[in-house]
Amino acid sequence: MAIESDVLVVGGGLAGLTGALSAAREGADVRLVSYKQSTLRQASGLVDVLGYTPDGDGPLTDPFAAIQSLPDSHPYRTVGVETVRDALSLFDEAVPTYEGGHTDANALLPTHGGTVKPTARYPAGASAGLASDDRDTLLVGVEEMVDFDAPHVAAHLGAAGVPFDVRGETIRFPGDLRADAKVTRYAKLLDTNGEVAVRGRKVPARDALAQRVNPLLEGEARVGFPAILGDDEPGAIRAALGEKLGVDVFEVPMGPPSLPGLRLEDALFDALDAAGVSIETGNPVVDVDGDDRVERVFVEKNGARIPNSADQYVLATGGFVGKGIESDREGVSEPVFDCHVPHAEDRYDWFETELFGDHAFARYGVATDDDLRPLDASERPEFDNLRAAGSVLGGYDFAAEKSGSGVSIATGYAAGQRAAQEAR
Amino acid sequence: MGQTPHIAVIGGGSTGAGIARDLAMRGLDVTLVEQGNLTHGTTGRMHGLLHSGGRYAVSDQASARECIEENRVLRDIASHCVEMTGGLFVKRPEDSEEYFEEKLEGCRECDIPAEVVTGEEARQMEPHLAKDIDKAISVPDGAIDPFRLVVANAASAQEHGARIETHSKVTDLLVERGEIVGIEVEHGSGPGKRVHGTAGGTEEIRADYVVNATGAWAGRIGDMADLDIEVRPSKGVMTIMNIRQVDTVINRCRPKGDADIVVPHETTAILGTTDEEVEDPEDYPEEQWEVDMMIDTLSELIPMLQEARTIRSFWGVRPLYEPPGVGSTDPTDITRDFFLLDHEERDDLPGMTSIVGGKFTTYRMMGEQISDHVCGKFGIDADCRTADVPLPGSEDFSVLRDYMDEFGLRSPIGRRSVERLGSRADEVLKTDGPNPTVCECEGVTRAEIHDAIEGSGSDLNAVRIRTRASMGNCQGGFCSHRMASELHAEYDEAVVREAWDELLQERWKGQRHALWGEQLSQAALNYALHATTQNRDRDPADGDPVDFSAFDAGRSRAGGVADADVAADGGTDGD
Ligand SMILES: Cc1cc2nc3c(=O)[nH]c(=O)nc-3n(C[C@H](O)[C@H](O)[C@H](O)COP(=O)(O)OP(=O)(O)OC[C@H]3O[C@@H](n4cnc5c(N)ncnc54)[C@H](O)[C@@H]3O)c2cc1C
Ligand SMILES: Cc1cc2nc3c(=O)[nH]c(=O)nc-3n(C[C@H](O)[C@H](O)[C@H](O)COP(=O)(O)OP(=O)(O)OC[C@H]3O[C@@H](n4cnc5c(N)ncnc54)[C@H](O)[C@@H]3O)c2cc1C
C-alpha cells in the first residue's frame, strides 16, 4: 500500500514549503517529501521580489509595477501580479518576524560585500540597517571572521553613496572561539548567553560583546553586526545588545551557512506543522510511475523504495543549486520526473564570456503552461496532475533580477493552491 | 669595463626569472621587466610536470638527458615547489610493444632510472588505472608548481640586488649607432609593485646588455629592431579535475599523441594536452572539442575520468623554435631544445641575445648558459651558483613539522601551508593576530595572503598564484570577497574593488570550459552568491547614483515610509 495524500509536494525549499502551506490552507491533505537542506542554507534570507528588469534597469522602487512589463515567459507573468501579492500576504502571515509588507516599495539593504541591494521582505533583525534610513551607522566585524570585514564594508557603502555616515570597527569576539569557528558557534554562545572569561572574570557573552563595542561608539544611532546574532533567540539578543549600547542593532546577511536563511526555514516548517502537513525529510524521490498522470512516486529510504501516491503533485526540487536541475556534457535535465528542460544544444552557448553576462544557464528550468504544468518538447503538459514551482522553473535569472525568493513564494503558492483546488 | 654591467632581462616567465637570479648572484646589476604578473605567459599556463626525461627518451635524447639532470637539481634547490610523485609510462594492449621496449632502452641510455612494472603492480600503485593495462615503466617524474618557483627565483634575484618590474611592457628597443642600448617600458601603474589606479608612465631603461626571454613573444621583441626570430607558437590545452584521481604522473606509452598525460598537482589532477601551431600567442581559439578529447582519450587510461568533475581548462603556447632550414610541418616534430640567438653574430646588431625554445624543467640550465654568455661579453669570470644554493623557501628544510600547535592551525591546513611555504613558514605564519582560513578549498590562511600582498601589491591574481587561494573546487565563489577584504587592510576601497573585479573575471575565464555537471551547479551557486547576496553585478559604487529616499526606510521610521506608488523605473536619477 502506498502512502496517500491529496497533494504531494516534492522538495522542501521556499517553493515547496510555501506550496505545501497554501495547499493545506485550501483544506487539502498535504504531504511534503524533501531530500537535503534547501537553498535557504546558502541564501541571505532576504525575500527579493524584483530588483531590476531583465535589461538591468534599476534598482526598481516598485517591483509590482514592473512585473507587468516582464516577458510572457517569466513565471511572474504565468501567475500574475495579484497572485504575487496574495502569496506575499500568506508569507507575511506565516512568518511574522519579517518586515516590508507595510509598503509596495523595495527596501535597499546593505550586503556583506559592501553594496546595497533591493529587496521586498527582510527579517526584523535587518530592519534597523535599511540604507534609506539616514541615521549614522557603526558596523562591527569580528577579527576571526573573514566573511565580514567591517571597515571594508563601511568604505564600500560610502562609495555606494548611502545617505549617512558609516564606519567599520573590528573586535576580538569575547570567549575563546577558535580562529576557524563556524557562525553557528558564535550564535550558540549568544543564544545561551554562556559565560566567557574577560580579564579573569566570568561575564555573560552578550554583556561581554556589548562591553567590547561600547567604547567604539561615536554617537552612532545604530550598530550592525554580521548575521551571527543567535539561531534560536535573535530577537532577545538584539534587544539585549541594543539596550546595553543604547542603539538599534541590526544584522547584515552573509553567505553560507546563512543564519537568517536557516531561521526562515525553521519558521516555515513551524507553520507547516501548525497547518497539519505531514513532512518527511532526508530521503529523495527517485522514481515515478505514470503516463498521462503521475500515479505514484518512490521515495528511497535505507535502500528501500517506498511508494507515495497522491491526486496532485508539486515539483519544487530547486534549480542547479538545489539539484532539481542537472546537466552533463550532453545536456540539461530534470532528474525526478524527467521533465523537458529547454536548452541550447551546444554547451558553449549556455554561458557568456563576461562574468556577469546574460548567462543562458541562469534561466534554464522547466517551461510550463498557464497552470504551472511542465511542458514536454512539443509543448504539451508532461503530466495532467504535476505542477512546478520555484527555481526548478525556467525563464528568469533570479540572480540578475533579484527575484529568487519572490518567484519561489509566488509560484509555490499558486501551484499549491491549484493542486488543492483540483484535488477536491 | 670597471663598472658593474647593467643587464635588462625581458620576460618574467621561468626563463627570465631564472636568468635574473643567475646574473644577480654573479654580481651583475639586473632589471627584469614583465608585461603582466610573474608567470603571465606560458609558465603560468603549463602542465606542471617536472620531467624525468622519459617523454623524450626516444625522440630527443639530448633533451631527455638535460631533463633528468635538472630534475635532480630542482628536487634539491626547489624542494618546496616539487612533489616527487613518480611517473608511469602505461601501455594498453593496443599500444606497440616495440615502442615500449624502445622507451625502456632510451631511458637507460639517458641515465633515467626506469623499471618495468606489471599491469597488476601498476594498479596497486594507482587503483583507478584501467583494468586492461598491460604493463608500465616507472620513472622519476614529479609535479612542480611554476608559480611559486618563479616567485622564489624573482625573490632571490631581488635579494641579490635585482630590480623586478611587473606590469611593465617593453614597447621599444633603444638602438643607437647600430647597437641596442636599452629598452623603453610602459609601466601599468608606476614603477615598483602594482597598485590599481596609480598612473603609469613610460621609462627608458638603459642597459649594457639586453636579454630577450619572452618565449612565444620573442619575435615581437625582435620586430622592434627589425630582427627576425622565427618562434613557432604551438598551443596546448589542459583540463583540471577537482580531485586527484591519481597520485603518480600517468603517461601513455606511445610515440606521440594528444591527450596522453595526467599530472597530479596539489589538490587536482591536470589532463593534457594538444600541440597545434597558432599565429598569435595571445589570441587563439579555445575550443570544446579539445576539452572533450582530454576527457575521452584519457579515460582509456583512467576510466573514472569520464564521469569526473572538472573545475576549469586553460591553454598555453609553447615557444618552440626551429633553426632556419629544418622546416618541420608538424609542431610535435619541432625540437624541445633551446637556442641562444646572439644578434650580434646572427644579425650584426650588438647588445642583445634572445633565448628561445626549451622547457620549464630546464629553465635553470638555460639561465646558466645565457648568463655564461653574457658574462663572457664583459669578460667577467664568475661561477654559476644556482644549482647549489637553494631558493628562498627551500633552505635547510628537511622535515615537515606539525605546525598545528605552533600556529593554531587545523592540522591539514597547517600541513599544506607549510608545504607551500617551505622554510619561510615560520616567518610568514608567526603573526600576532588570529589567523583564520581565507580559502577553504586550498587551505590558505590570512597570514599567507598578507605575505603575498606584501610581495605583489594590490593585484589579487598575483596573490592567487602565490598562495593558490581561489584555485580549488569553488573557484573563488566563497573566498574572492574575503581576499578583497584582506587587501583592504593595505589599500583603499576603490583600489580593492578594481582588484576584486579583476580576480572574479579571471576566475570565470577558465571555468567556462568546465560548465556542466557539478561545476555548473557550483557556477550557479557562485553566481547567486556574488550577484544575489552581494549584488556585485549591480554595485551602485560603480554605477549611477541611487535615490535612496525613494525606497522603504522602515515601518518604524516616521516620515521614512516610502510612497507606495513611486515610479517603477527605479531611483537611478540621483537627486
Ligand atoms: C547563494 C544564494 C543566495 C540567494 N540569495 C537570495 C536573496 O538574497 N534573496 C532572494 O530573494 N533569493 C535569494 N536566493 C534565491 C532563493 O534562495 C531561491 O530562489 C529559493 O530559495 C529557491 O527555492 P526552491 O524551493 O525553488 O529550491 P531549493 O531551495 O533549492 O529547494 C529544493 C529542495 O528540493 C530538494 N530536492 C531536490 N531533489 C529532490 C528529490 N529528488 N527528492 C526530494 N527532494 C529533493 C532539495 O534537497 C531541496 O531541499 C539565493 C540563492 C542562492 C543560491
Ligand atoms: C601546454 C603546455 C604544457 C607544458 N608543460 C610543460 C611541463 O609539464 N613541463 C615542462 O617542463 N615544460 C612544459 N611546457 C613548456 C614550458 O611551459 C615553457 O617552455 C616555459 O614555461 C617557457 O618559459 P619562458 O619563460 O621561456 O616563457 P614565458 O613563460 O612565456 O615567459 C615570457 C614572458 O615574457 C613576457 N613578455 C612578452 N612580451 C613582453 C613585453 N613586450 N614586455 C614585457 N614582457 C613581455 C610575457 O608576458 C611572458 O610572461 C609546457 C608548455 C605548454 C604550452
Side-chain angles (χ1 to χ4, degrees):
Chain A
M1 259 299 286
I3 300 172
E4 300 207 9
S5 57
D6 295 338
V7 175
L8 180 76
V9 178
V10 184
L14 203 43
L17 294 168
T18 311
L21 187 61
S22 79
R25 290 290 173 90
E26 286 290 315
D29 167 29
V30 184
R31 182 169 162 72
L32 179 135
V33 181
S34 188
Y35 183 25
K36 294 193 174 152
Q37 245 180 341
S38 78
T39 304
L40 285 171
R41 186 181 177 278
Q42 338 253 22
S44 66
L46 302 181
V47 177
D48 306 346
V49 170
L50 191 66
Y52 299 84
T53 68
D55 296 333
D57 292 336
L60 300 169
T61 47
D62 184 342
F64 302 98
I67 283 177
Q68 343 278 355
S69 353
L70 292 171
D72 287 346
S73 54
H74 198 288
Y76 278 147
R77 295 296 304 279
T78 309
V79 300
V81 67
E82 283 317 310
T83 303
V84 179
R85 287 182 184 281
D86 293 345
L88 285 167
S89 302
L90 174 67
F91 176 85
D92 289 339
E93 181 210 317
V95 189
T97 52
Y98 268 59
E99 295 183 10
H102 59 279
T103 171
D104 270 2
N106 268 328
L108 294 172
L109 272 98
T111 75
H112 76 136
T115 64
V116 295
K117 84 141 178 178
T119 197
R121 297 290 186 273
Y122 40 91
S127 63
L130 297 191
S132 299
D133 175 341
D134 59 8
R135 291 177 296 166
D136 289 349
T137 302
L138 174 67
L139 296 177
V140 176
V142 175
E143 205 176 1
E144 297 85 342
M145 197 172 270
V146 288
D147 268 322
F148 185 81
D149 183 281
H152 183 207
V153 174
H156 198 146
L157 284 171
V162 294
F164 48 86
D165 284 341
V166 50
R167 285 188 313 119
E169 294 275 6
T170 303
I171 59 163
R172 197 66 81 85
F173 202 80
D176 263 334
L177 295 181
R178 271 218 309 248
D180 286 325
K182 297 262 179 294
V183 294
T184 41
R185 287 281 299 129
Y186 293 91
K188 184 106 273 150
L189 185 59
L190 292 169
D191 272 339
T192 57
N193 203 15
E195 295 200 321
V196 296
V198 178
R199 273 177 264 107
R201 280 189 316 123
K202 293 272 188 202
V203 184
R206 298 175 192 174
D207 296 80
L209 179 56
Q211 281 167 19
R212 295 253 156 121
V213 176
N214 220 343
L216 303 174
L217 273 170
E218 290 176 6
E220 287 90 352
R222 50 183 177 163
V223 175
F225 292 91
I228 57 169
L229 303 181
D231 192 0
D232 303 328
E233 302 285 340
I237 295 167
R238 277 196 323 278
L241 291 174
E243 193 179 315
K244 291 179 216 302
L245 293 170
V247 298
D248 280 349
V249 168
F250 66 94
E251 289 182 309
V252 179
M254 297 208 293
S258 158
L259 282 176
L262 293 170
R263 293 179 200 137
L264 174 56
E265 189 171 73
D266 286 347
L268 284 165
F269 271 108
D270 288 347
L272 288 196
D273 275 339
V277 173
S278 119
I279 302 170
E280 176 180 340
T281 57
N283 303 306
V285 171
V286 291
D287 206 357
V288 176
D289 231 5
D291 264 332
D292 294 340
R293 290 178 64 81
V294 179
E295 301 298 342
R296 60 178 81 75
V297 300
F298 296 91
V299 177
E300 190 171 87
K301 192 171 180 180
N302 305 328
R305 284 156 47 101
I306 317 246
N308 280 237
S309 77
D311 192 58
Q312 301 290 321
Y313 295 81
V314 175
L315 168 65
T317 47
F320 282 117
V321 178
K323 306 277 155 76
I325 299 291
E326 287 183 351
S327 63
D328 58 22
R329 278 194 279 158
E330 269 68 58
V332 182
S333 58
E334 182 279 299
V336 181
F337 293 88
D338 200 19
C339 294
H340 173 65
V341 180
H343 63 274
E345 203 166 315
D346 183 341
R347 71 169 192 261
Y348 278 64
D349 291 335
W350 298 353
F351 55 81
E352 294 295 321
T353 314
E354 279 296 300
L355 169 69
F356 293 125
D358 187 11
H359 299 306
F361 76 77
R363 291 187 307 273
Y364 286 167
V366 301
T368 70
D369 66 6
D370 288 345
D371 204 21
L372 288 172
R373 289 182 301 177
L375 297 174
D376 65 17
S378 47
E379 310 220 327
R380 277 187 299 267
E382 294 268 11
F383 300 97
D384 283 344
N385 58 345
L386 175 71
R387 289 176 185 76
S391 46
V392 75
L393 295 172
Y396 71 114
D397 176 346
F398 78 79
E401 296 170 5
K402 327 300 162 187
S403 66
S405 301
V407 169
S408 289
I409 289 171
T411 55
Y413 171 84
Q417 189 182 52
R418 291 175 198 191
Q421 285 165 357
E422 200 153 314
R424 270 190 226 131
Chain B
M1 288 222 118
Q3 248 184 339
T4 314
H6 175 215
I7 317 297
V9 179
I10 317 175
S14 51
T15 312
I19 295 167
R21 178 185 194 225
D22 197 331
L23 289 171
M25 284 175 85
R26 297 191 205 207
L28 281 73
D29 276 347
V30 178
T31 301
L32 179 132
V33 291
E34 162 57 50
Q35 63 182 355
N37 277 322
L38 292 173
T39 75
H40 171 83
T42 308
T43 304
R45 337 202 92 244
M46 51 85 88
H47 209 155
L49 170 66
L50 177 63
H51 282 280
S52 62
R55 274 182 88 75
Y56 307 117
V58 178
S59 59
D60 188 352
Q61 293 204 340
S63 291
R65 285 201 184 85
E66 288 171 3
C67 281
I68 186 65
E69 204 175 303
E70 286 303 294
N71 173 303
R72 294 193 170 106
V73 172
L74 291 183
R75 278 190 245 169
D76 238 21
I77 65 154
S79 59
H80 78 294
C81 305
V82 172
E83 181 188 350
M84 273 320 287
T85 58
L88 290 175
F89 281 85
V90 173
K91 177 184 172 310
R92 287 189 47 80
E94 65 270 27
D95 300 338
S96 143
E97 176 66 35
E98 198 185 333
Y99 185 75
F100 188 87
E101 292 305 324
E102 277 181 70
K103 178 73 83 186
L104 188 62
E105 193 51 35
C107 285
R108 293 192 171 145
E109 282 164 12
C110 299
D111 198 22
I112 301 164
E115 282 195 50
V116 177
V117 296
T118 64
E120 204 164 310
E121 285 166 338
R123 276 186 299 277
Q124 255 163 31
M125 294 165 72
E126 288 301 340
H128 297 303
L129 280 177
K131 297 267 177 294
D132 55 351
I133 295 287
D134 273 351
K135 54 183 174 178
I137 303 172
S138 88
V139 292
D141 281 341
I144 184 157
D145 183 345
F147 303 115
R148 279 183 294 133
L149 185 95
V150 170
V151 169
N153 269 283
S156 168
Q158 236 164 356
E159 279 169 19
H160 290 89
R163 171 180 173 204
I164 310 282
E165 288 289 346
T166 59
H167 300 281
S168 301
K169 184 176 177 139
V170 173
T171 47
D172 207 359
L173 293 171
L174 307 178
V175 183
E176 286 174 9
R177 277 171 251 105
E179 186 176 351
I180 294 179
V181 296
I183 53 182
E184 182 188 276
V185 170
E186 188 136 329
H187 292 295
S189 70
K193 275 184 245 171
R194 177 178 188 207
V195 178
H196 288 79
T198 320
T202 314
E203 184 188 4
E204 275 193 11
I205 300 180
R206 301 190 73 84
D208 298 301
Y209 206 76
V210 176
V211 176
N212 172 19
T214 51
W217 287 262
R220 300 215 175 154
I221 299 292
D223 289 346
M224 295 172 185
D226 292 328
L227 301 168
D228 239 347
I229 304 171
E230 309 80 8
V231 186
R232 294 179 57 180
S234 150
K235 74 166 172 172
V237 65
M238 283 142 292
T239 294
I240 312 184
M241 313 309 288
N242 77 321
I243 53 164
R244 285 165 67 132
Q245 282 83 8
V246 290
D247 291 318
T248 311
V249 175
I250 302 296
N251 303 269
R252 180 91 178 244
C253 190
R254 59 181 181 192
K256 63 183 181 190
D258 289 335
D260 63 352
I261 173 163
V262 181
V263 181
H265 187 75
E266 305 271 339
T267 53
T268 68
I270 307 182
L271 320 186
T273 177
T274 45
D275 202 339
E276 208 186 307
E277 201 156 339
V278 296
E279 286 290 316
D280 183 337
E282 278 171 36
D283 186 17
Y284 47 85
E286 302 179 344
E287 287 166 285
Q288 169 172 2
W289 67 264
E290 300 175 271
V291 176
D292 285 336
M293 183 213 265
M294 290 309 111
I295 297 170
D296 294 336
T297 307
L298 281 161
S299 299
E300 295 170 13
L301 296 183
I302 306 165
M304 73 184 293
L305 291 176
Q306 197 62 272
E307 300 301 322
R309 167 173 175 185
T310 108
I311 54 182
R312 59 197 283 126
S313 287
F314 61 101
W315 279 254
V317 280
R318 296 176 191 80
L320 300 184
Y321 177 82
E322 189 166 75
V326 180
S328 305
T329 46
D330 183 343
T332 57
D333 292 332
I334 301 177
T335 174
R336 263 42 180 172
D337 213 347
F338 62 90
F339 298 86
L340 302 192
L341 311 179
D342 183 327
H343 297 293
E344 180 173 12
E345 290 164 18
R346 193 174 169 268
D347 311 288
D348 257 347
L349 184 62
M352 181 168 90
T353 290
S354 297
I355 180 160
V356 287
K359 273 174 305 299
F360 179 81
T361 302
T362 54
Y363 87 94
R364 194 211 57 82
M365 185 181 265
M366 294 164 71
E368 176 171 352
Q369 287 199 12
I370 198 158
S371 297
D372 286 348
H373 183 77
V374 170
C375 285
K377 297 263 166 199
F378 296 94
I380 296 172
D381 184 17
D383 284 342
C384 172
R385 294 190 295 138
T386 54
D388 307 313
V389 182
L391 286 163
S394 289
E395 300 115 343
D396 33 77
F397 184 67
S398 42
V399 216
L400 284 185
R401 282 188 283 136
D402 181 356
Y403 273 68
M404 173 152 148
D405 299 335
E406 199 158 338
F407 299 119
L409 297 169
R410 275 190 271 135
S411 169
I413 290 172
R415 185 174 52 75
R416 296 196 46 207
S417 304
V418 172
E419 279 170 358
R420 272 194 300 266
L421 294 164
S423 52
R424 295 187 58 242
D426 274 298
E427 173 197 330
V428 174
L429 297 177
K430 279 213 164 117
T431 57
D432 297 334
N435 189 22
T437 306
V438 173
C439 162
E440 274 133 16
C441 301
E442 295 294 317
V444 184
T445 61
R446 173 178 286 165
E448 272 183 87
I449 300 276
H450 282 278
D451 174 61
I453 291 171
E454 232 167 79
S456 57
S458 72
D459 190 327
L460 286 177
N461 278 314
V463 171
R464 168 177 66 78
I465 62 172
R466 280 160 197 249
T467 60
R468 285 191 63 79
S470 80
M471 290 173 81
N473 266 358
C474 85
Q475 293 286 295
F478 285 63
C479 63
S480 296
H481 69 283
R482 298 173 182 169
M483 290 169 70
S485 285
E486 297 303 328
L487 193 60
H488 187 251
E490 319 280 340
Y491 294 96
D492 285 351
E493 188 277 330
V495 170
V496 170
R497 199 174 342 128
E498 213 178 313
W500 183 4
D501 282 341
E502 215 174 72
L503 174 69
L504 288 173
Q505 188 66 47
E506 191 284 338
R507 293 286 74 196
W508 176 244
K509 189 166 177 253
Q511 266 178 85
R512 294 184 277 134
H513 302 287
L515 289 188
W516 69 86
E518 277 180 87
Q519 203 59 28
L520 180 54
S521 298
Q522 178 77 54
L525 173 58
N526 292 355
Y527 182 39
L529 287 170
H530 298 153
T532 313
T533 310
Q534 296 171 2
N535 203 14
R536 223 18 277 106
D537 61 329
R538 309 254 188 265
D539 186 349
D542 295 327
D544 297 330
V546 171
D547 177 10
F548 285 87
S549 67
F551 292 84
D552 175 15
R555 190 171 49 189
S556 51
R557 295 287 294 158
V561 179
D563 225 275
D565 46 27
V566 278
D569 57 0
T572 45
D573 51 353
D575 50 316

